[in-house]
Amino acid sequence: MPKGSALLRGISIIVAVTVASFLVSSTAVFGINEQPKVTPEVRADIIDIDSMKVFGKLERPSVSYLHQRHTEALEKKNKDCSVCHLSEKDPQSEKERMSTRFMRLKDTTRQEVMDIYHNNCIACHNDTKAAKEKSGPVECGECHQQQATVVSSWQPIGMDKSLHYRHSKAMDKKCEKCHHVYNEKTKKLYYAKDQEGTCRYCHRSKTEENRISLRQAAHGACVECHRERTAKNETAGPFNCEGCHEASQQKLIEIVKDVPRMQLNQPDIIFVKTSAADKEKINPLALMNLVPFNHKAHEQYNDSCRVCHHANLTGCEQCHSIQGNEDGGGVTLEQAMHRPNIDQSCIGCHESQQAQPACVGCHISFEKKQPEGTASCANCHAVPKSEIIGVVGKDDEKMMAARALGQRDAVARTYSDADLPETVVIKALSNKYEPVKLPHRKIVTTMVDKIKSNQLANFFHPENGTVCQGCHHNSPASKTPPKCISCHSKPFNAKDPFKPGLIAAYHRQCMECHKAMGIAKPVATDCTACHQKKS
Amino acid sequence: MSISRRKFLGWLGAAGLGATVGQKAARAASNKHFDGYPESNGVLFDNTRCIGCRKCEEGCNKVNELPEPDRPFSDLSQLDTKRRTTAKAYTVVNRYDDTGGGKGPLYLKIQCNHCLEPACASVCFVSAFKKTATGAVTYDASVCVGCRYCMIACPFEIPAYQYDNAFSPKVMKCTMCFPRISKGLLPGCVEACPTEALTYGKRGDLLRIGRERIRKFPDRYVDHIYGENEMGGTSWLYLSQVPFKEVGLREDLGVTPAPALTSGALSVVPMVVGLWPVLLGGVYAINKRKEKIEQQEKAQAVAAAVEATEAEAKAKMKEALEFQEKQKEKAIAKAVSQALEEAAKAAEEKVSETPAEDADKKSSKEDS
């Protein structure tokens, strides 16, 4: 028996030592990855070559190809794009057009496309290496890497008003240089005057029948033109990747402040309308009052037309009918105008403006919802439809809309200084601190000053007391609004849990507004910054 | 009686069968969800309102008469380190940087969550912890034996132990200010909060408040009230601007109350205590009886064998005796006949001398 236990002890010691040494030597047991952390390079010119996808599942990981590194290398050797890209005559424009594909015009067969990449890439890399220059990889795994070593900083870019103006000026207002439409019958592109629109109305994210993807279209048109003009020593935009797609480079793009209006026969001031089809179906008298809309002013507020005109440049009512239909994606006219949290609708866009520093202080504590009650509807739905029943001509309608808008006097307003208490003394915590002197008038006048130049704000703060409702909430606008203590009990009452107690009401009203507006001082946790210590 | 290998395995099998049967029954029996005491209280913490002032810590310290901390509560640099509850602090606030989406840090106050079905109470074999109808999970130091199972059981790692108290150490944790709420007062931390980041009330009301805030400000909150279902539900509830795990709350706990996780196994205990003696006793009795019968049979067999042997021996003896007797008789007869022959011979010889006389003598003898 003693022999046996000695043997057991010996074995257990050996096992323990083995396990311990294994644990120490193999950090993988603890899930520790000992590989040194490589911070991947950040670039805007990464092209993910997964061209073989069209032939089925990829056998190897796709290749992260750095386009600009190659163009720069070629430039040094005085070589151009044709080293890698073939050109063909465009059947529509009858111009030589460079294909964005590598060394081919079409994706023919799996083997052929694969060979094009392998033979040409590897051959060039080998040649460069033979010439004792810095070259690229030739082994399979060096290109087909499982883990990315570069991270993309690619940013999308669009044509805004300023950029469009600079282009049209450079092109001598020859719109046809870029804009075209497709003729279904002749299967050719042609220029149609006054039918210009954003590229993405036709060129979507993926290539469809008869139309190439936005990516292909933009690179074909923009890059080609920039390259040609540069070759001719004319002023031109960038044609390397970074130039358009790197955030820091985008900031360098010149912005023209006062862009003249684009001329596309768009109205100045109109009534928001229902479609002709809807008018036939529905008695016009059963509709809402009319909304006069300042189209011209809204052009100035936005960077491009497609902020609102998301699918085409026609009026909203052309797709969005009162009942909703397929053309409008089932979105009714009412929803198209009132949907929250979306940039294309009136309310959605107006609401997003509340995030501006001057507005957010008050609006952060208000629920985002369509205001109820006829009074708020009448803000926009201002003109009774009976007034335009007899009006026939379009111009008369426009004049009426303009007159309705002209009657609005949107100016920043509040009560006169005499009616605004200069300071409000709060004694709620007078057992611990000296009373707080709230600079009431200063707060009100500062807030009004900040929104003074904002037409939207002025329009939607129509009464003298509207601004006051930022703090004196949940009560009608009035020269003598209720005080905090009128509603908030002291202390917090668990029987009325939806309403904060007085102390929390004060603190939250001040602190949340300050935080939202980015007012750093006084710091929320510094009690004595507001509450003087009791002497 | 010595235990043989076969018997031991037999018992083990019986025990295993018993345990599985028992567990099934236990699960079926515990298939109900406890939604907490009706009208029980709780606290809703909203981290979009918390400013990280530590007033709650101070309030807690004061009303619970806990020892003065090393650094004053106004020292907000304390928030630079992540802390846990201790025997001297029932609640602590931690700061989580880089969470507020560039709008400053977020804070999380931790304390006992007052589970609807507390793990600490379920493991405590002296019932020192109790889920009271007020919602508070209370602790009775007078019965505590200091096993600290509660500290291991708590999924939120809340109960702390007075390691520096050599003679009467206690487990320390937030009691939701049980003495205060019983009197209708607010818990210390809730009363101290300047922004009502903490709201005290009926748990049902708090859930409604939480849902209402999420409905009103969908952009401000994660669409979930932490503690509504976590670990079967807790009385302390949380609203957050960012996913809860980013502010240090465990998201891997599931919705099963801790006691339910062990009820299957633990429900076997009474079965083991009650049923096993009967079962094992039965097994023992059966074995015992088997042995007894065996012995009886053996004895019988032996007796029978002995009897049979004895009878055989007797028969043999009898036979032997009879044989002997026969031999004896035979010998006697032989001896007699021999003697007679000799006598006849002698008489013949005499007859030869006096043959007639002898012959007569002999014949007369024979006739007689």
Side-chain angles (χ1 to χ4, degrees):
Chain A
M1 217 34 201
K3 207 178 173 186
S5 68
L7 191 67
L8 268 179
R9 204 176 298 148
I11 290 172
S12 65
I13 289 170
I14 291 166
V15 168
V17 168
T18 326
V19 169
S21 62
F22 175 71
L23 288 178
V24 169
S25 63
S26 155
T27 49
V29 172
F30 302 109
I32 297 166
N33 193 351
E34 275 204 336
Q35 280 178 338
K37 258 196 177 174
V38 186
T39 40
E41 197 186 350
V42 181
R43 295 181 69 100
D45 65 333
I46 304 167
I47 292 176
D48 188 40
I49 302 179
D50 56 357
S51 312
M52 304 307 291
K53 249 186 188 167
V54 291
F55 303 112
K57 214 179 154 203
L58 295 179
E59 281 174 15
R60 281 190 166 259
S62 60
V63 177
S64 292
Y65 172 82
L66 305 179
H67 192 271
Q68 198 161 325
R69 183 168 289 173
H70 287 83
T71 53
E72 279 164 7
L74 289 172
E75 212 180 331
K76 279 182 200 159
K77 295 184 185 177
N78 282 326
K79 288 183 179 172
D80 66 355
C81 309
S82 63
V83 175
C84 298
H85 294 286
L86 305 181
S87 296
E88 68 175 336
K89 205 168 224 177
D90 185 25
Q92 279 150 5
S93 60
E94 303 201 339
K95 259 171 70 183
E96 278 287 310
R97 184 171 269 235
M98 193 181 81
S99 166
T100 52
R101 293 189 174 93
F102 173 66
M103 297 290 262
R104 66 191 189 282
L105 298 168
K106 266 182 188 149
D107 289 334
T108 46
T109 63
R110 181 190 182 85
Q111 194 58 44
E112 223 171 300
V113 174
M114 190 158 74
D115 287 345
I116 286 172
Y117 277 104
H118 287 163
N119 295 344
N120 290 304
C121 295
I122 295 171
C124 185
H125 287 177
N126 275 334
D127 290 350
T128 322
K129 206 175 178 187
K132 299 206 166 152
E133 288 170 58
K134 204 182 162 201
S135 178
V138 289
E139 299 287 336
C140 312
E142 289 177 300
C143 288
H144 296 279
Q145 285 182 333
Q146 204 62 261
Q147 266 185 328
T149 49
V150 280
V151 173
S152 179
S153 60
W154 184 91
Q155 292 290 326
I157 186 164
M159 185 71 89
D160 61 17
K161 260 187 324 195
S162 151
L163 204 55
H164 184 268
Y165 170 68
R166 288 176 55 210
H167 277 87
S168 74
K169 203 172 140 193
M171 299 280 174
D172 293 327
K173 290 194 174 176
K174 282 178 185 154
C175 309
E176 67 273 21
K177 292 222 167 176
C178 299
H179 290 278
H180 51 242
V181 286
Y182 182 73
N183 187 326
E184 296 268 350
K185 278 178 193 158
T186 61
K187 300 199 169 165
K188 277 196 176 173
L189 296 177
Y190 68 101
Y191 171 69
K193 189 154 174 50
D194 294 342
Q195 281 187 44
E196 296 93 344
T198 307
C199 311
R200 20 195 128 198
Y201 289 162
C202 298
H203 299 284
R204 314 260 165 80
S205 59
K206 285 215 173 105
T207 298
E208 292 165 41
E209 208 192 344
N210 296 336
R211 57 183 91 171
I212 49 176
S213 67
L214 178 69
R215 191 177 171 206
Q216 268 183 304
H219 286 99
C222 307
V223 176
E224 274 287 281
C225 185
H226 290 180
R227 211 162 52 89
E228 278 169 21
R229 285 178 67 95
T230 311
K232 285 188 237 162
N233 273 333
E234 290 172 327
T235 48
F239 55 88
N240 58 4
C241 308
E242 286 180 354
C244 294
H245 294 296
E246 175 74 52
S248 57
Q249 299 278 318
Q250 288 181 354
K251 279 182 195 155
L252 302 178
I253 298 173
E254 187 196 329
I255 292 171
V256 181
K257 278 264 164 72
D258 295 312
V259 180
R261 254 182 114 188
M262 277 186 227
Q263 294 301 332
L264 214 59
N265 295 329
Q266 71 270 43
D268 293 352
I269 297 171
I270 44 152
F271 285 119
V272 177
K273 284 187 301 247
T274 49
S275 70
D278 273 335
K279 266 183 194 153
E280 279 171 23
K281 273 190 251 168
I282 296 162
N283 180 358
L285 284 172
L287 297 172
M288 285 291 291
N289 282 355
L290 295 160
V291 179
F293 174 69
N294 194 338
H295 194 279
K296 189 179 172 184
H298 282 82
E299 283 171 36
Q300 285 168 355
Y301 305 144
N302 291 296
D303 270 346
S304 79
C305 306
R306 71 187 140 84
V307 172
C308 300
H309 291 279
H310 55 98
N312 55 49
L313 285 176
T314 59
C316 310
E317 80 281 358
Q318 297 298 327
C319 300
H320 299 289
S321 67
I322 286 178
Q323 301 281 323
N325 58 27
E326 215 175 297
D327 287 344
V331 178
T332 64
L333 187 64
E334 186 272 332
Q335 286 174 324
M337 301 300 166
H338 299 100
R339 256 173 119 173
N341 303 322
I342 191 160
D343 277 344
Q344 292 100 321
S345 85
C346 304
I347 286 196
C349 186
H350 288 172
E351 256 182 9
S352 70
Q353 301 302 311
Q354 292 170 357
Q356 288 180 23
C359 314
V360 73
C362 294
H363 284 279
I364 193 167
S365 54
F366 296 136
E367 180 189 349
K368 278 200 172 71
K369 62 171 184 183
Q370 216 170 302
E372 285 161 10
T374 48
S376 63
C377 298
N379 273 342
C380 301
H381 293 271
V383 179
K385 58 240 161 196
S386 54
E387 285 186 23
I388 66 154
I389 290 281
V391 178
V392 187
K394 269 197 171 173
D395 289 336
D396 290 347
E397 248 185 60
K398 282 181 188 168
M399 270 173 59
M400 284 202 62
R403 202 189 309 145
L405 275 188
Q407 281 166 359
R408 282 183 185 171
D409 57 336
V411 287
R413 62 179 93 223
T414 187
Y415 298 105
S416 64
D417 277 5
D419 290 329
L420 292 171
E422 190 179 357
T423 52
V424 172
V425 180
I426 302 167
K427 297 176 189 163
L429 281 175
S430 54
N431 57 338
K432 285 184 192 162
Y433 301 99
E434 291 289 329
V436 177
K437 279 181 194 153
L438 179 85
H440 181 268
R441 190 189 293 159
K442 187 182 143 200
I443 291 172
V444 179
T445 48
T446 311
M447 303 247 283
V448 174
D449 271 352
K450 283 195 172 178
I451 60 169
K452 205 158 57 180
S453 58
N454 188 329
Q455 280 293 99
L456 182 70
N458 292 336
F459 177 64
F460 282 103
H461 296 91
E463 291 176 61
N464 281 340
T466 313
V467 174
C468 308
Q469 286 175 301
C471 292
H472 299 274
H473 53 184
N474 296 336
S475 69
S478 148
K479 200 189 283 183
T480 50
K483 296 180 169 184
C484 303
I485 203 165
S486 310
C487 300
H488 295 279
S489 66
K490 178 194 169 184
F492 166 74
N493 184 355
K495 291 204 169 70
D496 190 8
F498 283 89
K499 200 184 283 172
L502 184 64
I503 291 172
Y506 279 129
H507 282 133
R508 286 189 47 220
Q509 195 74 275
C510 299
M511 289 173 186
E512 284 181 7
C513 177
H514 283 192
K515 189 182 172 190
M517 292 181 81
I519 298 169
K521 276 185 176 179
V523 179
T525 47
D526 183 5
C527 306
T528 51
C530 297
H531 305 270
Q532 297 268 307
K533 260 190 186 156
K534 225 170 182 184
S535 47
Chain B
M1 183 198 71
S2 69
I3 301 169
S4 75
R5 179 184 154 85
R6 172 167 298 190
K7 268 180 205 160
F8 177 72
L9 290 176
W11 289 354
L12 216 63
L17 197 73
T20 41
V21 169
Q23 210 166 28
K24 238 182 191 169
R27 256 191 211 144
S30 72
N31 190 15
K32 56 179 179 187
H33 181 58
F34 178 63
D35 283 326
Y37 289 104
E39 299 285 290
S40 75
N41 300 295
V43 176
L44 174 68
F45 172 75
D46 183 338
N47 77 359
T48 68
R49 296 183 173 193
C50 182
I51 56 170
C53 64
R54 299 184 69 207
K55 292 280 180 216
C56 49
E57 289 186 40
E58 190 177 3
C60 173
N61 178 281
K62 215 163 84 184
V63 300
N64 289 298
E65 289 162 4
L66 295 171
E68 189 94 338
D70 299 335
R71 287 151 78 179
F73 288 107
S74 57
D75 181 1
L76 298 182
S77 65
Q78 183 81 74
L79 297 174
D80 293 343
T81 44
K82 295 271 177 301
R83 295 174 298 156
R84 270 179 57 183
T85 50
T86 66
K88 291 171 185 169
Y90 290 166
T91 183
V92 293
V93 175
N94 280 322
R95 188 182 68 216
Y96 293 86
D97 295 318
D98 314 321
T99 43
K103 287 205 166 177
L106 287 172
Y107 303 88
L108 194 89
K109 173 188 182 295
I110 47 173
Q111 71 300 303
C112 173
N113 283 326
H114 301 275
C115 304
L116 300 185
E117 293 174 77
C120 54
S122 79
V123 293
C124 186
F125 51 82
V126 293
S127 292
F129 289 97
K130 214 163 270 164
K131 178 74 179 175
T132 65
T134 59
V137 176
T138 58
Y139 166 72
D140 180 0
S142 66
V143 294
C144 178
V145 295
C147 71
R148 282 160 284 151
Y149 278 8
C150 49
M151 293 169 64
I152 297 164
C154 178
F156 304 105
E157 303 180 321
I158 293 300
Y161 198 62
Q162 287 180 325
Y163 287 105
D164 52 358
N165 185 344
F167 298 106
S168 56
K170 284 186 276 185
V171 172
M172 303 293 276
K173 76 161 198 72
C174 158
T175 62
M176 208 193 269
C177 285
F178 181 69
R180 285 174 61 86
I181 59 173
S182 305
K183 278 188 251 165
L185 294 168
L186 290 173
C189 56
V190 176
E191 193 178 67
C193 182
T195 59
E196 260 169 51
L198 295 164
T199 311
Y200 173 81
K202 301 264 174 271
R203 187 172 182 269
D205 286 344
L206 297 179
L207 286 171
R208 282 196 291 125
I209 295 172
R211 289 190 198 114
E212 177 68 6
R213 285 190 200 161
I214 294 171
R215 187 196 66 73
K216 265 188 171 171
F217 301 106
D219 301 340
R220 200 183 294 178
Y221 295 104
V222 170
D223 187 10
H224 181 69
I225 302 172
Y226 189 95
E228 182 175 6
N229 295 312
E230 274 73 10
M231 290 312 287
T234 58
S235 294
W236 216 282
L237 303 165
Y238 300 83
L239 282 177
S240 176
Q241 190 180 332
V242 296
F244 293 94
K245 67 176 172 217
E246 286 176 29
V247 286
L249 283 169
R250 287 179 65 177
E251 285 184 348
D252 60 340
L253 292 174
V255 297
T256 317
L261 294 171
T262 51
S263 71
L266 289 180
S267 67
V268 177
V269 171
M271 194 274 291
V272 170
V273 174
L275 200 62
W276 275 34
V278 178
L279 182 76
L280 298 182
V283 172
Y284 178 72
I286 289 165
N287 279 318
K288 197 83 183 162
R289 188 168 167 267
K290 215 162 93 186
E291 271 169 21
K292 203 175 157 188
I293 289 167
E294 225 171 64
Q295 261 174 354
Q296 272 176 355
E297 278 175 354
K298 203 171 170 185
Q300 263 176 2
V302 167
V306 166
E307 218 169 288
T309 327
E310 266 174 6
E312 207 180 333
K314 246 183 204 171
K316 267 190 184 165
M317 185 70 82
K318 205 177 164 189
E319 221 171 279
L321 284 174
E322 275 171 8
F323 182 70
Q324 233 174 341
E325 202 90 336
K326 267 184 189 167
Q327 290 291 75
K328 217 177 177 179
E329 274 172 26
K330 260 187 190 168
I332 291 169
K334 208 180 174 181
V336 168
S337 67
Q338 213 173 353
L340 283 176
E341 265 176 46
E342 275 174 19
K345 249 184 203 172
E348 264 178 35
E349 278 169 10
K350 244 180 203 181
V351 168
S352 61
E353 288 163 11
T354 51
E357 204 185 332
D358 277 349
D360 289 346
K361 253 190 186 173
K362 203 183 171 181
S363 61
S364 64
K365 243 189 185 173
E366 266 174 320
D367 289 342
S368 63

